[in-house]
Amino acid sequence: MSLLRLDRVSRHFGKLQAVQDVSFEMNEGELRAIIGPNGAGKTTFFNLITGFVPPTSGDVWFAGESIRDKAVVYRVKKGIVRTFQITEVFPDLSVYENVRFGVETAAGVNGRPWLPRAKRLELARRTDELIEVVGLAAKADRVVSELAHGDQRVVEIAIALTMNPRLLLLDEPTAGMGDAETDHMVDLIRRLHSERKLSILFIEHDMSIVFGIAQKITVLDHGRLLAEGTAAEVSVDPQVRAAYLGEEAKA
Amino acid sequence: MMRDERLWMALGWIVLALAPWWLPWLGGYSALGTKVLVYGLGVMALNLLLGFAGGLSFGHAAYFGLGAYGAGMTLKYLAPSTPLALLAGTVVGGLAATAFGPLVMRRRGIYFAMITIAIGQLLYFVAVRWNEFTGGEDGLAGFSRQPLHFGGWVLDIRDENKYYYVVLVCFTVAAWIMRGVLRSPLGHTWVAIRENRRRAEFLGVRADLYIWAAFAISGTFMALAGALNALLFNFTSPQDLHWILSGDFVIMIVLGGMRNFWGPLLGALIYIVAQDYLSSVTDNWMTFIGLLFMVIVLAFPRGILGLLRRRGKAAA
Ligand SMILES: Nc1ncnc2c1ncn2[C@@H]1O[C@H](COP(=O)(O)OP(=O)(O)OP(=O)(O)O)[C@@H](O)[C@H]1O
Ligand SMILES: [Mg+2]
């Protein structure tokens, strides 16, 4: 059964058609990439899935339920968790404090002025575990704003993981990274998919990454779904080539 | 780290507990120590909101003054009981902060500051106008703190040294509670909201409600400070509600360092001792405080305790 399904979804901003009549389906456990030129509507597509903007028309289904009219927070609780194109962390706090806040939020104890020792230890263990998973254990006490850009993006993913996602949406996770950082991020995405069995949908401009790890690729252009398929299928698609070549010709 | 802080706290507490002995030695007097603790408690309470939750209240004298009037009026009109007066002042100020919280909880930055100032000035004018009850401009006098009764045993806290210990006990309990809350998930939530409110909200945190809670708790402990202050001088006046005092609170916090739980206490100490000393030397004492403030803001943006911390870390 499909985990996520979009039914002829559109979103207009005034006259601008950011997403137009897109139908989309993704299965549980899938690792899927979204590609497309700048302004193709990729981030808007994420916003429709996560509830940051409501669709102008169409319907969104998650795990068999229509979430079209549900708030962001409801979707987070259902397991739709995202990271942002521009890094969103708690900059003046340590890595540990960033992740701990997510863990406490997921545990629903945000408002507690006091926690019993056992609960405190349990949450501390969970925090340590997630920091370990993303490979930041050695930097747990460092202030996030003083970390390299790549590490900050990893912190963002760690925060997302605290929410126990079923579907993880990553908006350009490697943007602005150096080679070593990119490799680390790609490895992390791959491990989250294979070891933690997460369904992951990521937006990415770097084709070598997309072709390297995505099981299936969805191509958007001018808000429309242009093509969909495996790396081999998409890379020879004449429409895709035209969209990208057109882009390069303009640039 | 943790053990280090405990050690410092224990040392600091011993120094405070012995203040009535060493203060006269330095040319001070115990009421000065009491005032430092009272203001220290107030600004630590304000800093819970300002430094930790990021709510820029520039009108917190409102709750200090309400605590003061609540305590003074209880003694004057209701019953000659010190505990009742302190409790009444704290509850009145705390309830007011809880009631006004929804007006500010969704505002950010400068708008938050402006509404808090407006609330404070509103209460100031009420105190000035409501003459027959509050004493108007002249302030509220004609009450005095009463001896404490423990069963048959009487502690006569009209004595300044003994009152110092009453304040020290209140300060210690309040600081212990605030420190505990700031280390709990609630405190972590405040800091997260301060750092990135949007991000916190996307995770499902109702930031406005938590800011409301911070406002209420902060106002409650501020009111306790105000009540203790009224009983220290057996007097209160509309100045205790005025925005100038609110500004002084913020200055104390910035002096000491707002990212540190104890920073504001240090700021209060510097401010009040400087005020006490300078005002006996010159009428222009405020100019000197202003200069000191500018030097500190420019040279150590994290306040004095922030600077000491940095040094400590660099040395370690
Ligand atoms: N909230 C909004 N209001 C108005 N226009 C918007 C809004 N969000 C997106 N758009 C417009 O919709 C179009 C698609 O934007 P979107 O951010 O989805 O593109 P994208 O594929 O993510 O691009 P990029 O690769 O540059 O991140 C753009 O023209 C953008 O300006
Ligand atoms: Mg985008």
Side-chain angles (χ1 to χ4, degrees):
Chain A
M1 192 192 70
S2 67
L3 179 64
L4 174 71
R5 186 157 62 82
L6 280 78
D7 241 0
R8 306 198 57 179
V9 168
S10 299
R11 173 66 210 201
H12 304 173
F13 295 109
K15 279 213 183 105
L16 181 90
Q17 314 230 313
V19 170
Q20 267 189 82
D21 203 23
V22 170
S23 293
F24 176 90
E25 221 173 319
M26 190 176 151
N27 289 325
E28 185 112 51
E30 207 178 306
L31 177 56
R32 171 90 66 111
I34 306 265
I35 64 171
N38 288 109
K42 305 180 295 295
T43 297
T44 305
F45 186 69
F46 265 25
N47 286 337
L48 291 165
I49 297 170
T50 51
F52 280 76
V53 301
T56 317
S57 65
D59 203 348
V60 183
W61 295 76
F62 183 73
E65 172 192 15
S66 169
I67 54 169
R68 189 205 136 102
D69 301 314
K70 303 292 190 194
V72 173
V73 170
Y74 178 89
R75 302 186 202 204
V76 170
K77 293 220 168 88
K78 285 281 158 185
I80 305 179
V81 184
R82 75 181 293 183
T83 64
F84 296 83
Q85 192 164 350
I86 296 161
T87 315
E88 288 269 8
V89 288
F90 303 102
D92 256 6
L93 306 185
S94 69
V95 172
Y96 185 84
E97 289 166 328
N98 267 267
V99 177
R100 179 181 62 190
F101 174 65
V103 167
E104 287 173 350
T105 304
V109 298
N110 276 128
R112 299 273 191 86
W114 183 80
L115 277 188
R117 196 182 144 77
K119 186 79 185 169
R120 215 165 48 230
L121 291 179
E122 179 199 321
L123 297 181
R125 247 195 326 274
R126 172 104 176 110
T127 305
D128 286 332
E129 184 219 323
L130 287 173
I131 292 174
E132 184 75 47
V133 165
V134 299
L136 281 179
K139 295 170 182 162
D141 290 327
R142 298 270 302 276
V143 171
V144 170
S145 62
E146 289 167 6
L147 292 179
H149 170 72
D151 285 336
Q152 294 192 20
R153 303 235 56 168
V154 173
V155 171
E156 224 194 337
I157 291 187
I159 295 174
L161 292 179
T162 63
M163 295 287 113
N164 306 308
R166 267 182 93 177
L167 171 63
L168 184 61
L169 301 129
L170 308 172
D171 197 342
E172 302 195 22
T174 71
M177 285 190 184
D179 288 347
E181 289 178 325
T182 301
D183 288 348
H184 180 221
M185 178 59 79
V186 168
D187 179 57
L188 175 60
I189 294 172
R190 204 186 261 136
R191 276 192 300 118
L192 291 177
H193 175 247
S194 63
E195 288 169 21
R196 295 181 80 88
K197 308 289 175 234
L198 277 178
S199 312
I200 300 176
L201 181 59
F202 68 103
I203 297 173
E204 182 56 67
H205 281 295
D206 184 331
M207 289 308 151
S208 65
I209 295 173
V210 172
F211 291 149
I213 62 176
Q215 297 170 321
K216 204 169 166 187
I217 300 162
T218 297
V219 190
L220 293 181
D221 183 33
H222 290 104
R224 291 190 175 281
L225 194 147
L226 201 64
E228 202 165 64
T230 62
E233 289 161 5
V234 164
S235 59
V236 298
D237 187 296
Q239 277 188 295
V240 175
R241 304 200 79 149
Y244 273 90
L245 287 176
E247 179 84 349
E248 273 160 25
K250 262 184 276 160
Chain B
M1 259 284 291
M2 194 67 197
R3 282 178 63 182
D4 234 41
E5 194 183 350
R6 290 232 172 121
L7 193 69
W8 278 111
M9 276 166 54
L11 273 175
W13 203 83
I14 290 168
V15 170
L16 287 177
L18 296 176
W21 279 276
W22 57 259
L23 256 175
W25 232 64
L26 297 177
Y29 46 97
S30 58
L32 184 67
T34 311
K35 196 173 171 193
V36 168
L37 281 187
V38 165
Y39 278 74
L41 166 59
V43 288
M44 281 162 68
L46 170 55
N47 196 46
L48 179 144
L49 174 67
L50 191 132
F52 287 89
L56 295 180
S57 175
F58 281 69
H60 244 50
Y63 312 101
F64 186 83
L66 280 174
Y69 275 96
M73 287 171 152
T74 302
L75 279 174
K76 186 166 180 171
Y77 302 117
L78 286 180
S81 158
T82 296
L84 187 69
L86 292 178
L87 184 68
T90 307
V91 169
V92 167
L95 285 179
T98 309
F100 288 127
L103 293 180
V104 299
M105 67 189 188
R106 287 194 194 86
R107 315 279 158 196
R108 311 281 290 268
I110 193 78
Y111 300 101
F112 191 102
M114 279 172 16
I115 293 178
T116 54
I117 294 175
I119 294 168
Q121 287 309 91
L122 181 86
L123 292 168
Y124 170 80
F125 283 113
V126 170
V128 168
R129 288 290 153 81
W130 200 13
N131 250 323
E132 71 266 37
F133 210 47
T134 63
E137 299 251 33
D138 298 335
L140 183 74
F143 64 89
S144 63
R145 58 179 190 266
Q146 300 295 314
L148 292 176
H149 297 267
F150 301 96
W153 188 58
V154 178
L155 183 65
D156 192 355
I157 58 164
R158 285 174 298 187
D159 173 70
E160 290 203 337
N161 281 341
K162 294 198 178 108
Y163 187 59
Y164 174 83
Y165 287 106
V166 172
V167 172
L168 181 60
V169 168
C170 292
F171 173 86
T172 306
V173 172
W176 183 73
I177 294 173
M178 287 193 283
R179 189 163 170 275
V181 172
L182 285 170
R183 292 168 159 232
S184 74
L186 179 57
H188 301 156
T189 305
W190 288 331
V191 172
I193 291 170
R194 175 195 82 202
E195 285 294 306
N196 191 341
R197 185 167 178 151
R198 251 164 44 96
R199 187 72 190 97
E201 285 176 338
F202 293 163
L203 292 178
V205 169
R206 290 280 311 271
D208 50 353
L209 297 184
Y210 293 105
I211 293 297
W212 187 7
F215 200 80
I217 294 171
S218 167
T220 302
F221 285 110
M222 182 58 104
L224 172 60
L228 289 167
N229 196 55
L231 266 56
L232 170 62
F233 297 107
N234 294 321
F235 178 72
T236 183
S237 80
Q239 300 313 313
D240 283 344
L241 291 158
H242 200 267
W243 62 264
I244 289 181
L245 180 61
S246 297
D248 292 342
F249 287 150
V250 175
I251 290 176
M252 291 177 208
I253 289 176
V254 175
L255 278 178
M258 63 184 203
R259 288 295 157 85
N260 187 289
F261 180 68
W262 300 105
L265 177 62
L266 183 66
L269 172 73
I270 293 168
Y271 188 98
I272 285 160
V273 171
Q275 179 188 40
D276 187 70
Y277 175 70
L278 291 172
S279 63
S280 69
V281 186
T282 162
D283 280 343
N284 275 332
W285 62 272
M286 200 59 213
T287 315
F288 288 93
I289 299 244
L291 281 174
L292 178 66
F293 181 70
M294 276 169 55
V295 168
I296 289 189
V297 169
L298 292 175
F300 331 120
R302 285 174 172 257
I304 292 176
L305 210 54
L307 176 82
L308 296 178
R309 275 265 159 123
R310 281 269 144 125
R311 280 278 157 80
K313 265 190 192 168

